[in-house]
């Protein structure tokens, strides 16, 4: 893919975030979509490409009244939207469509019109994981972390500091769900969920959504907002079974998606002004910093605990407050993308001054999938 | 009303040998006859070289504790918290998810890299699950 050939020209979240019991899941998709279309100064009839996850593209097209010439229903968990951005950019470049709408929405808290996500008993997970008492993401996602900590010499306090600094960012964001300051001690004394993780190391469960509109860079300059160009992208999948990851010392899907995006973007880690690493649980930023090549895994815990990613630090990370404190409807990737776009437009509540390059890295499932998008506001 | 039961595996044709083995007290793995790769979960081809020349064999049942969580809440049906959900690395190479029995479900008792051996937990006449316990001696 050519660098900067495609741009984000519309971006918006749902009108409300948090607890939205008066809207069904598909209505949340529409709310986000209409907000993004308005943001881009477009009409619904301008959209000729659509992508979404969990909810099907045919459901979305019908509900919104769109006649697409390109559709993508890639559904690999919370990073599906990073993959949609990558696929949409390629499709626009190939001339398959001109203006793509990507939506996410989930009634994660209120469970209104939410599609069931069950594990069939004759699937590999149903046979070889479910009988041992896994019950939802908190009992699965942290399974690798004790091995990661032992191999790389990471402490409980260092991982707790991830939650502390996410909260500092959230305090600057009026739309964040959780804003009260917390300390490492607070995190380590909070309710135990699945050792070693306590509740303050687990993401929120809320309702909400978001949408993006992409078009070619040539057209982007005619839109009302500052275009945010796509500089590089990467994607991969590993396994839906957390027990079958190649190693717990790192994520193979991260190691493929992240460096692919850096290579495509033609940038080095020193060029990165702003970083989003999908923090469904507090260990993910450590895996991300290591697997994206910012530093060896041995240094990730100290790097965060020393304050490098907090407000005022040299590598501002998860500046919306993250999945731990901003919001998390079940699939957080869209919210990370929204924050990268806001930062590149220069309109984020906790704006990083003069930021020109934003790296947005996502995870899907329990380390099952990964997508990375690198944005810039300079052509 | 009966308590909701623990999730049961439903075998498929290519995994049936594993569950049949568990019923007779054998932990069964598969090995590629062409490249010797030992793999899990069961499938009728080698995930390394794509050969369909594969054999089932009885594993040693020995391994070590690779990683785990201790689930406190919410508990899966059929489980009483706190209980460890563990990943065991077998001497033959593959890893599998399991539970650790005959051991306190605490961070102090569950030491990473501790030696483990397979045990078989009979759920009922049609289902036996491989689990692990601290190795003796
Ligand atoms: Zn082979």
């Amino acid at each position: 893919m050519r660098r900067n050939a495609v741009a984000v020209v519309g971006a918006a979240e749902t009108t409300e975030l948090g607890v939205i019991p008066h809207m069904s899941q598909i209505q949340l998709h529409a709310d986000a979509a209409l907000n993004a279309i308005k943001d881009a100064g477009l009409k619904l009839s301008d959209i000729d490409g659509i992508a979404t996850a969990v909810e099907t593209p045919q459901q979305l097209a019908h509900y919104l009244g769109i006649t697409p010439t390109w559709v993508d229903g890639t559904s690999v968990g919370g990073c599906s939207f990073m993959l949609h951005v990558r696929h949409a950019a390629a499709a626009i470049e190939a001339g398959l469509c001109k203006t793509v709408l990507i939506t996410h929405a989930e009634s994660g808290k209120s469970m209104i019109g939410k599609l069931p996500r069950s594990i069939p008993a004759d699937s590999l997970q149903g046979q070889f994981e479910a009988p041992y008492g896994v019950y939802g993401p908190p009992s699965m996602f942290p399974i690798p972390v004790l091995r990661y900590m032992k191999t790389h010499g990471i402490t409980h306090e260092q991982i707790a500091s991830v939650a502390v600094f996410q909260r500092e960012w959230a305090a600057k964001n009026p739309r964040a769900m959780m804003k009260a300051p917390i300390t490492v001690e607070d995190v380590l004394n909070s309710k135990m969920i699945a050792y070693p993780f306590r509740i303050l190391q687990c993401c929120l469960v809320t309702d909400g959504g978001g949408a993006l509109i992409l078009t070619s860079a040539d057209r982007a300059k005619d839109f009302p907002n500052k275009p945010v160009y796509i500089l590089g992208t990467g994607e991969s999948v590993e396994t839906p079974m957390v027990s079958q990851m190649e190693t717990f010392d790192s994520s193979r899907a991260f190691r493929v998606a992240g460096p692919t995006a850096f290579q495509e973007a033609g940038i080095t880690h020193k060029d990165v002004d702003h970083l989003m690493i999908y923090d469904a649980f507090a260990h993910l930023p450590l895996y991300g910093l290591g697997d994206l090549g910012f530093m060896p895994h041995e240094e990730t815990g100290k790097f965060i605990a020393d304050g490098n990613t907090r407000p005022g630090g040299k590598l501002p990370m998860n500046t919306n407050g993250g999945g731990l404190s901003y919001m998390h409807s079940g699939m957080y990737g869209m919210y990370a993308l929204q924050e990268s776009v806001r930062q590149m437009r220069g309109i984020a509540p906790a704006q990083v001054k003069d930021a020109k390059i934003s790296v947005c890295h996502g995870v899907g499932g329990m380390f099952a999938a990964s997508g990375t998008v690198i944005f810039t506001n300079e052509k | 009303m009966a308590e909701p039961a623990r999730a049961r595996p439903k075998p498929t044709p290519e995994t049936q040998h594993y569950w049949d083995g568990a019923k007779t007290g054998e932990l069964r793995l598969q090995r590629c006859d062409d490249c010797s790769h030992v793999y899990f979960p069961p499938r009728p081809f080698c995930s390394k070289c794509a050969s369909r020349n594969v054999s089932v064999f009885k594993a040693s049942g020995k391994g070590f504790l690779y990683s785990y969580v201790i689930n406190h809440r919410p508990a899966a049906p059929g489980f009483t918290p706190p209980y460890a959900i563990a990943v065991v690395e077998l001497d033959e190479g593959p890893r599998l998810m399991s539970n650790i029995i005959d051991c306190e479900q605490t961070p102090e008792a569950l030491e990473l890299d501790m030696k483990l051996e397979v045990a078989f937990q009979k759920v009922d006449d049609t289902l036996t699950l491989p689990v692990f316990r601290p190795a003796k001696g």
Side-chain angles (χ1 to χ4, degrees):
Chain A
M1 204 186 75
R2 284 184 303 131
R3 280 174 228 164
N4 299 347
V6 172
V8 175
V9 293
E13 293 171 345
T14 43
T15 311
E16 298 169 60
L17 287 180
V19 184
I20 316 172
H22 54 278
M23 282 198 194
S24 69
Q25 186 159 294
I26 188 70
Q27 172 56 18
L28 291 168
H29 276 268
D31 183 50
L34 295 176
N35 287 345
I37 287 166
K38 186 176 178 201
D39 180 63
L42 291 173
K43 301 187 296 294
L44 258 176
S45 55
D46 295 321
I47 304 297
D48 61 356
I50 57 163
T52 193
V54 181
E55 210 72 61
T56 60
Q58 57 270 39
Q59 169 85 330
L60 182 68
H62 168 253
Y63 195 71
L64 287 171
I66 289 169
T67 306
T69 62
W70 177 85
V71 300
D72 182 7
T74 301
S75 195
V76 292
C79 67
S80 299
F81 318 101
M82 282 80 174
L83 274 64
H84 295 156
V85 168
R86 186 170 210 244
H87 303 171
I92 290 166
E93 262 219 283
L96 305 182
C97 52
K98 287 193 168 66
T99 312
V100 172
L101 169 68
I102 303 169
T103 69
H104 159 69
E106 201 159 17
S107 185
K109 177 85 175 172
S110 300
M111 310 282 271
I112 311 293
K114 185 177 155 69
L115 302 168
R117 282 201 225 165
S118 63
I119 296 172
D122 55 1
S123 67
L124 293 176
Q125 290 153 280
Q127 291 186 65
F128 300 108
E129 293 195 334
Y132 296 106
V134 297
Y135 203 67
S139 70
M140 282 192 273
F141 226 147
I143 282 176
V145 75
L146 287 175
R147 172 58 53 181
Y148 183 89
M149 292 167 72
K150 179 162 181 174
T151 302
H152 301 305
I154 307 293
T155 68
H156 292 279
E157 288 75 13
Q158 287 170 344
I159 297 186
S161 73
V162 173
V164 172
F165 297 140
Q166 293 314 107
R167 191 58 66 84
E168 288 187 359
W169 284 113
K172 297 173 176 294
N173 189 343
R175 279 185 36 115
M177 302 293 120
M178 307 291 279
K179 298 190 197 68
I182 51 172
T183 64
V184 166
E185 290 67 36
D186 292 335
V187 177
L188 295 178
N189 289 323
S190 65
K191 186 165 62 183
M192 184 66 85
I193 300 294
Y195 175 86
F197 278 5
R198 295 169 181 272
I199 197 159
L200 290 174
Q201 289 158 302
C202 304
C203 65
L204 307 165
V205 182
T206 52
D207 304 328
L212 294 172
I213 294 173
L214 275 64
T215 195
S216 66
D218 300 342
R219 296 176 69 209
K221 53 187 179 301
D222 301 329
F223 282 76
N225 293 298
K226 184 175 180 177
V228 177
Y229 301 99
I230 295 160
L231 191 55
T233 57
E235 68 187 289
S236 192
V237 295
E238 184 175 357
T239 169
M241 301 172 75
V242 69
S243 64
Q244 298 305 310
M245 290 170 69
E246 194 172 85
T247 173
F248 286 1
D249 299 340
S250 79
S251 158
R252 193 186 79 194
F254 284 19
R255 294 199 311 275
V256 174
T260 301
F262 273 81
Q263 194 175 17
E264 195 173 274
I267 62 163
T268 69
H269 297 84
K270 286 194 171 57
D271 299 322
V272 178
D273 302 309
H274 171 251
L275 177 62
M276 297 299 288
I277 299 180
Y278 192 135
D279 59 330
F281 291 89
H283 56 328
L284 294 177
L286 283 76
Y287 278 82
L289 287 171
D291 288 331
L292 268 61
F294 282 94
M295 64 201 66
H297 283 288
E298 288 72 17
E299 295 170 18
T300 58
K302 184 172 189 305
F303 184 81
I304 292 174
D306 285 352
N308 289 296
T309 61
R310 72 194 288 187
K314 67 181 176 193
L315 185 58
M317 181 178 75
N318 296 343
T319 50
N320 57 354
L324 297 178
S325 287
Y326 178 60
M327 87 90 69
H328 196 302
S329 52
M331 299 170 78
Y332 167 79
M334 177 56 81
Y335 308 100
L337 290 164
Q338 294 286 337
E339 175 66 7
S340 280
V341 170
R342 284 191 294 263
Q343 288 285 348
M344 291 297 92
R345 285 179 172 181
I347 57 164
Q351 181 61 41
V352 175
K353 200 167 171 286
D354 300 326
K356 293 179 179 63
I357 291 181
S358 174
V359 173
C360 190
H361 178 73
V363 68
M366 317 302 145
F367 288 109
S370 186
T372 311
V373 180
I374 303 180
F375 296 101
T376 183
N377 48 24
E378 290 190 323
K379 183 123 164 73
Chain B
M1 208 177 79
E3 294 283 308
R6 134 190 217 153
R8 286 178 69 98
K10 186 177 172 194
T12 56
E14 64 273 27
T15 65
Q16 189 67 51
H17 69 267
Y18 180 87
W19 296 111
D20 290 346
K23 262 191 277 186
T24 64
E26 282 188 10
L27 181 67
R28 291 182 183 167
L29 292 175
Q30 285 174 301
R31 181 188 286 120
C32 175
D33 296 332
D34 288 327
C35 80
S36 303
H37 177 53
V38 177
Y39 62 89
F40 177 88
R43 60 206 112 154
F45 60 90
C46 172
S47 54
K48 203 161 217 172
C49 77
S51 167
R52 295 174 196 249
N53 299 320
V54 296
S55 306
V56 175
F57 70 100
K58 181 185 172 184
S60 66
K62 295 186 188 316
F64 67 87
L65 182 56
Y66 184 61
S67 200
Y68 67 92
V69 296
I70 304 171
N71 194 29
H72 284 251
R73 62 187 309 283
F79 283 81
T80 307
Y83 60 94
I85 304 164
V87 173
V88 179
E89 181 168 319
L90 300 171
D91 284 0
E92 291 85 356
R95 297 188 191 114
L96 41 80
M97 190 173 276
S98 196
N99 299 126
I100 310 299
I101 63 165
D102 300 341
C103 181
E104 276 193 69
Q105 306 290 291
T106 62
E108 293 72 29
L110 291 161
E111 208 175 314
L112 244 52
D113 295 313
M114 70 194 280
K115 299 269 189 221
L116 300 168
E117 62 187 24
V118 75
F120 293 91
Q121 197 170 63
K122 188 175 171 178
V123 177
D124 57 36
D125 285 346
T126 58
L127 176 64
T128 298
L129 288 168
V131 295
F132 285 79
R133 65 159 66 98
K136 294 186 187 77

